[in-house]
Amino acid sequence: MNSTLHTLRDWSEQGWLRRLDSALADFVAQHHDRQVDSAAQAEPALLVATALLAHMEGRGHVCLPLLEVVSPPYSLLAWPTQTSEALSALWQQLPGTLSAWLQALQRSPVVRCVASGAPDTGQPLVLGGTPEAPLLYLRRYWAYEQQVAQAVAQRAAAQRKVDKAAARAWLQRLFPPPSATDQAAVPPVTDWQKIACALALRSQLTVITGGPGTGKTYTAARLLALLLATSADPAQLRVALAAPTGKAAARLRQSIDQSLASLQASLGEEIHLHALAERMGQARTLHALLGMRPGSRQFQHTAQHPLDVDVLIVDETSMVHLEMMAALLHALPPQAKLILLGDKDQLASVEAGSVLGDLCAQAQAARYSPETCAYLQAVAGEALPPSPSVGSALEQQTVMLRHSRRFGGDIGALARAVNAGVARSTQVVPGDADVPVAAYDLLQRGTQQALQQAALQPGAAPEAGKVFVLPAPVHTDAVVRLALQGRPCAPACYAHYLQEMRARPSSAGDTVQEHARWVSRVLQAFDRFRILCAVHDGPWGDRAMNQQVQSALARAGLLQPEGEWFAGRPVMVTRNDKALGVFNGDVGVVLPAPGAGQALRAYFLDGEQLRSVSVSRLAHVETAFAMTIHKSQGSEFFHTVVVLPDAGGDLLTRELVYTGITRAKEFLTVVEPRPGLLGSAMAQQVRRASGLAFK
């Protein structure tokens, strides 16, 4: 047996690699040996690179940066310290320079070298990137990346002719100047929402990024009004809305509907936004939009059978992985507009790729060309300062929204501090006026304010203590108490939805309408509070938290868990089921059906739309008192509790904490089991390997 393969298999047995990782190295070795002289075995560098590539893909990376593996990749892998000796021992047998690694890969018939112009014979591995930064890919991910890069480049380069006078007139109506009172209170600032609409009017691809409360869907609604007003045939304008999850799709449609209704009232009957809203239909998941074929990775809609759409708006794009983005761009008609909305600083998708982060890498710099600036001045009346450097064609169609209307207080300040990596006031961020106070200072201040408020004025309005930290050391029992009682100045907790559940007006003769109103109240009360965990496993993971909270609610007499299904059980769907109309990430509550019967159904609330499924038909769900921060994307809660794991680790990152914080609508509690966890998370930023950054 090849000694390198033996080592890789041993590492799989110890849990450092996945079995899949070492199995791929086995496959490559066999494939290599069949195509060359049997005496010339696959080189160790090829086998190690293959296993690491598979391992990296499992962690969300698209490719393996070969510069990172010339020496033992301790930081890249973030393995336990006890692995260091084994890594060092293996690397003594491997090439010591980048050129030697490249030569070992180029000699193998299982590797396609793009730079050399080698023919494509179906090799499982592809060597791409640049001479200075070579990248190793699994074949299909290289293909996905090429498809996305080419489609984005084509769309970014295409520009439509714009009637500048008409566009400016409508933009002035859609974004009226602030009143004299507002002007006196707020100094004039760049209207990035207006800029986003102006750029989208001329382009076939627009990327709009920004944190929570910056008005991404507000901007999208005004863009739809602008497109309708300037369309040659407005009655035929076909618009579709989509998002990665059912919950995010429902929120998108609700926000768009509310904004369009408000606009219709202010614009009158000159344009028919209500008719456009009716034609749009429901927002769908990307899987539903593309028509996923059961049991395969294929979709009904492709370039040969494109989507029937003129404008497609996709929300929560940070959750869209590389393969899905490739499929979406492949199915979109060339003449259709694509509007991508999302927060580039949130967690990337669970699967491989960080497409939005790659597309928006330079968004904050606003590197607009003189031609773009002149266009924005003419159409939007916005004068932007000249950029010291001009960005790519894509950057001319990318806008970062900067003013948060939701997070103007402590939660927003904390999110900005975390995003900037400023844990304590002794740290300085040069030239960054958006970080007024360090994260720990903010949390400590919020804690002190909340406790003082509770002690001095128990019945006071909850203005103080928007953010709160449970100081270390802390036990999981403290989180359970939050679930049952809330905290000072932030009383929202799970007791409230259970009280609402017990307040059912009638259990025997309630009408369908009365029952629906009761169910909606229960679901709305449940969504006011949520525990978000960084990990699944361990005492601070969502699995253990769910068990502890459920047991505590039962002991308090608020819940009566009997078997798998019981009234009041919150559930989260873990797998798409188109037939049932439920999708991965949907969260609902199990409640009795209307009438006197005892039949239980799982109810889900999407905006104002209520839907339900018999519990007997739900096979893929888990209890959802606590959920992971990953699963919470696209949602927000009145009081959010972010629970950090006591062990820390490579999963605890700046992006994870930022995403958890920005799920809080009004109140935030951070649970730090031991000192320094928040600071260590802020120092650890996710950098997913991708070739899109080099294109």
Side-chain angles (χ1 to χ4, degrees), residues 53-72:
L53 173 59
H55 185 70
M56 293 288 285
E57 185 274 332
R59 294 169 53 189
H61 299 267
V62 174
C63 53
L64 176 67
L66 292 174
L67 276 171
E68 301 284 340
V69 300
V70 173
S71 56

Side-chain angles (χ1 to χ4, degrees), residues 633-657:
Q633 293 184 97
S635 301
E636 59 184 30
F637 313 100
F638 181 81
H639 180 191
T640 300
V641 178
V642 175
V643 180
L644 306 182
D646 58 344
D650 63 308
L651 292 177
L652 192 56
T653 64
R654 182 184 304 178
E655 291 81 2
L656 188 80
V657 174

Side-chain angles (χ1 to χ4, degrees), residues 316 319 345-348 350 530-536 540-542 572 626-635 637 640-645 651-664 668-671 678 681:
E316 298 291 348
M319 301 168 64
D345 297 314
Q346 278 189 199
L347 285 166
V350 175
R530 195 64 44 85
I531 298 170
L532 304 182
C533 301
V535 296
H536 274 302
W540 298 93
D542 68 318
M572 180 172 60
M627 59 197 299
T628 63
I629 295 174
H630 276 91
K631 287 289 190 180
S632 73
Q633 293 184 97
S635 301
F637 313 100
T640 300
V641 178
V642 175
V643 180
L644 306 182
L651 292 177
L652 192 56
T653 64
R654 182 184 304 178
E655 291 81 2
L656 188 80
V657 174
Y658 170 83
T659 303
I661 290 170
T662 53
R663 300 311 92 201
L668 169 71
T669 301
V670 177
V671 181
L678 178 64

Side-chain angles (χ1 to χ4, degrees), residues 339-361:
I339 315 298
L340 300 178
L341 311 176
D343 185 349
K344 68 179 180 64
D345 297 314
Q346 278 189 199
L347 285 166
S349 63
V350 175
E351 298 185 53
S354 56
V355 179
L356 185 66
D358 290 335
L359 298 181
C360 298

Side-chain angles (χ1 to χ4, degrees), residues 325-400:
M325 184 60 72
L328 178 66
L329 291 168
H330 190 57
L332 198 64
Q335 73 279 5
K337 285 183 178 290
L338 176 61
I339 315 298
L340 300 178
L341 311 176
D343 185 349
K344 68 179 180 64
D345 297 314
Q346 278 189 199
L347 285 166
S349 63
V350 175
E351 298 185 53
S354 56
V355 179
L356 185 66
D358 290 335
L359 298 181
C360 298
Q362 302 295 329
Q364 189 161 1
R367 302 193 304 175
Y368 297 127
S369 67
E371 186 274 333
T372 298
C373 291
Y375 168 79
L376 292 173
Q377 177 70 67
V379 173
E382 294 289 331
L384 294 178
S387 174
S389 62
V390 175
S392 65
L394 174 63
E395 290 180 62
Q396 310 309 305
Q397 314 303 143
T398 302
V399 180
M400 181 174 175

Side-chain angles (χ1 to χ4, degrees), residues 306-324:
L307 294 166
D308 186 22
V309 64
D310 298 312
V311 181
L312 174 61
I313 298 176
V314 181
D315 198 14
E316 298 291 348
T317 308
S318 65
M319 301 168 64
V320 180
H321 53 87
L322 180 65
E323 182 179 359
M324 177 60 77

